[in-house]
Amino acid sequence: RFVDKNGRCNVQHGNLGGETSRYLSDLFTTLVDLKWRWNLFIFILTYTVAWLFMASMWWVIAYMRGDLNKAHDDSYTPCVANVYPSAFLSFIETGPTIGYGYRYITDKCPEGIILFLFQSILGSIVDAFLIGCMFIKMSQPKKRAETLMFSEHAAISMRDGKLTLMFRVGNLRNSHMVSAQIRCKLLK
């Protein structure tokens, strides 16, 4: 069948070449079209990788400055106070909240301030991209077509001097449809 009874076109395009690169070129739409389990997996994986990357950058700064060797010296002012032993927890505290408690950036560390700015920008970009994807995915009405009913029979009659194919479409929901469009295919 060319068109299913529910109106869905039964033609699939395949072997177009370069399909993977086409999906990656529009990553946002690809993520929106994925199944929920893959979306959640990518969501969790992206945040975890970003946190681990930024935590390793904080640890590298602490290591290069020698903060890890002088962690128990009260007279020494480190770049990030109390980052030893967990740079990962430091990023978790600074990434989403920018609220500091036990671990905090000191004023003796310009590279830490630059890394913090990069961290804030990267966090905002990741948040906007992933939360935007989730919002679009949640707001798409996937099952909306199941609440539209088509008449069992179509009729052909004269209308404005031309033969016209007519059928009825009914909306089972009480809500109005915004910018509704119907596309038909006629096979002769």
Side-chain angles (χ1 to χ4, degrees), residues 48-117:
T48 304
V49 168
W51 290 340
L52 288 172
F53 173 73
M54 291 309 298
S56 66
M57 295 303 293
W58 283 111
W59 188 86
V60 165
I61 287 177
Y63 180 78
M64 298 290 276
R65 292 177 49 90
D67 292 351
L68 300 177
N69 298 333
K70 302 173 188 172
H72 301 292
D73 186 5
D74 293 335
S75 63
Y76 178 72
T77 305
C79 179
V80 179
N82 304 315
V83 75
Y84 181 79
S86 180
F88 184 72
L89 288 178
S90 175
F91 177 72
I92 295 296
E93 287 177 11
T94 60
T97 63
I98 311 201
Y100 296 103
Y102 184 66
R103 295 169 188 85
Y104 56 91
I105 300 172
T106 62
D107 57 355
K108 306 285 186 212
C109 182
E111 60 266 28
I113 294 169
I114 292 169
L115 182 61
F116 174 71
L117 291 173

Side-chain angles (χ1 to χ4, degrees), residues 167-187:
F167 57 91
R168 286 186 170 186
V169 178
N171 184 7
L172 296 178
R173 295 184 189 225
N174 290 332
S175 61
H176 294 286
M177 295 180 64
V178 178
S179 65
Q181 296 178 356
I182 295 176
R183 184 178 60 198
C184 300
K185 295 188 177 166
L186 176 64
L187 299 176

Side-chain angles (χ1 to χ4, degrees), residues 90-177:
S90 175
F91 177 72
I92 295 296
E93 287 177 11
T94 60
T97 63
I98 311 201
Y100 296 103
Y102 184 66
R103 295 169 188 85
Y104 56 91
I105 300 172
T106 62
D107 57 355
K108 306 285 186 212
C109 182
E111 60 266 28
I113 294 169
I114 292 169
L115 182 61
F116 174 71
L117 291 173
F118 175 72
Q119 170 184 326
S120 296
I121 292 169
L122 178 69
S124 296
I125 291 170
V126 168
D127 285 346
F129 188 79
L130 291 177
I131 293 171
C133 253
M134 290 293 183
F135 179 75
I136 295 293
K137 186 153 184 73
M138 283 189 287
S139 65
Q140 277 188 336
K142 292 286 186 188
K143 302 289 184 181
R144 181 65 173 120
E146 293 178 9
T147 62
L148 296 176
M149 300 298 293
F150 289 85
S151 58
E152 290 287 325
H153 303 285
I156 298 175
S157 72
M158 288 294 257
R159 187 169 193 109
D160 296 331
K162 294 181 183 176
L163 287 176
T164 306
L165 175 68
M166 294 184 289
F167 57 91
R168 286 186 170 186
V169 178
N171 184 7
L172 296 178
R173 295 184 189 225
N174 290 332
S175 61
H176 294 286
M177 295 180 64

